[in-house]
Amino acid sequence: HDDFDGPNLDLDYWALASHTFDPNLAWFSPANAKLVDGLLVLSITADAGPANPMPGDVSKPYSAAEVRTRESFLYGRFRARARLAPGTGVVSAFWGFYDRFSDTQGPQIDNQIVFESGIAKPDNEPELRYTVTVPVAAPETASNQPAPFALSDGFHVIGYDWTPTEVRFYLDGETRAVVTGDPARELTQYQRLVLSAYPSGADWLSGFDPQQLPATAEFDWVEVSSYRGPRP
C-alpha cells in the first residue's frame, strides 16, 4: 500500500519510465511524475521529448508520465483511488504487464491486464476500457463501456482481481467486466503494476487536441493484496 504521502516517490518500489511506443504521442519523462500534497500526479505537457535523446531516438512533441512497480506479481487484488485525466485523445491507465524486456528467460509474448479511460469516438463520450491480452491463447479480449461520470469529476476506486481462472474489473466496488476461459487461464506470467497518463492515437479514441494541455491523472493511493487460493 502506498499513500504517496512522502516528499518524494519511493524509488526503491517504483521505477520511472523514459520511453515511448506506438500509438503513444509522447515520450514518458521522469520529470512528469511527482508527489504533490499526498497525490502521485502524472502530467501530460507540451514539452518535446526525450529531453536528452540517445542516438536513434525520434523526438515527439509531448511529454507524459508512467511509473511501474519494481516487483512483479502473479495473481492478486489491485486497486487505486484516482482522478482520471480529462481530454480527447488522453488515456489514464492502471494495468499489469509481463516485462519480457527484463526477463529474457521467459516466453517473449505480451501478457497484459489493462484498465484504461478515454473519450471515445464517434460520440465524444467518456469511456472505460477493460482488456486482457494473451496472444498465444486468444485474440485481445476487450470490453468498452460508457463511463458513469466525467473522467476528471473526482476520485474513484479502480482496479481488478486476478486469479488463475478469471480477471474481474471493478469501479467503485462494482464489477464492470469479467474475463474467463483461455484468456484468463493463460495469464501465467508474473506482471509489474503500471500507472500511466499519456496522449494516444489509438483507434478507439477521439482525436487528441494539444490545446487541452497540461492535463493530469492523480493517484491518491495504490494497494496490492496477495492471492491465497489454489494455483495451477
Side-chain angles (χ1 to χ4, degrees):
H1 185 99
D2 195 337
D3 283 311
F4 303 120
D5 285 340
N8 299 297
L9 190 65
D10 184 356
L11 296 183
D12 289 332
Y13 194 77
W14 298 100
L16 295 164
S18 56
H19 69 281
T20 190
F21 58 87
D22 290 331
N24 188 351
L25 303 178
W27 272 82
F28 290 132
S29 168
N32 284 46
K34 297 180 179 179
L35 297 192
V36 180
D37 297 330
L39 300 173
L40 170 62
V41 179
L42 304 182
S43 299
I44 305 166
T45 58
D47 300 303
N52 299 297
M54 301 293 290
D57 284 346
V58 177
S59 179
K60 292 190 175 182
Y62 313 110
S63 293
E66 178 176 280
V67 301
R68 309 173 175 190
T69 59
R70 296 186 182 277
E71 183 179 356
S72 295
F73 309 94
L74 184 63
Y75 314 128
R77 173 170 292 166
F78 304 83
R79 295 288 189 276
R81 183 174 183 265
R83 186 200 306 268
L84 306 176
T88 59
V90 173
V91 167
S92 303
F94 180 77
W95 59 294
F97 83 111
Y98 164 61
D99 191 355
R100 58 191 172 93
F101 300 103
S102 66
D103 182 6
T104 57
Q105 303 304 310
Q108 303 298 293
I109 59 171
D110 288 331
N111 186 316
Q112 300 179 359
I113 301 170
V114 185
F115 181 122
E116 61 188 333
S117 70
I119 305 296
K121 62 182 180 185
D123 298 324
N124 285 332
E125 294 295 330
E127 193 165 86
L128 301 178
R129 180 175 169 92
Y130 314 95
T131 309
V132 168
T133 303
V134 191
V136 72
E140 177 182 88
T141 301
S143 174
N144 288 45
Q145 301 177 11
F149 50 80
L151 297 179
S152 61
D153 74 341
F155 284 88
H156 298 271
V157 177
I158 62 176
Y160 56 91
D161 291 353
W162 173 27
T163 74
T165 58
E166 70 174 27
V167 177
R168 187 174 294 264
F169 292 93
Y170 290 89
L171 173 66
D172 291 332
E174 296 186 1
T175 300
R176 298 284 292 187
V178 181
V179 177
T180 59
D182 287 346
R185 287 193 295 268
E186 296 297 326
L187 285 167
T188 58
Q189 302 298 322
Y190 279 78
Q191 297 188 356
R192 297 167 71 179
L193 182 63
V194 188
L195 288 58
S196 309
Y198 60 95
S200 174
D203 59 9
W204 67 278
L205 292 168
S206 293
F208 174 65
D209 179 1
Q211 297 301 315
Q212 304 164 130
L213 300 184
T216 64
E218 301 171 352
F219 289 82
D220 183 29
W221 51 259
V222 170
E223 184 173 270
V224 179
S225 301
S226 60
Y227 169 75
R228 301 296 188 184
R231 296 172 180 254

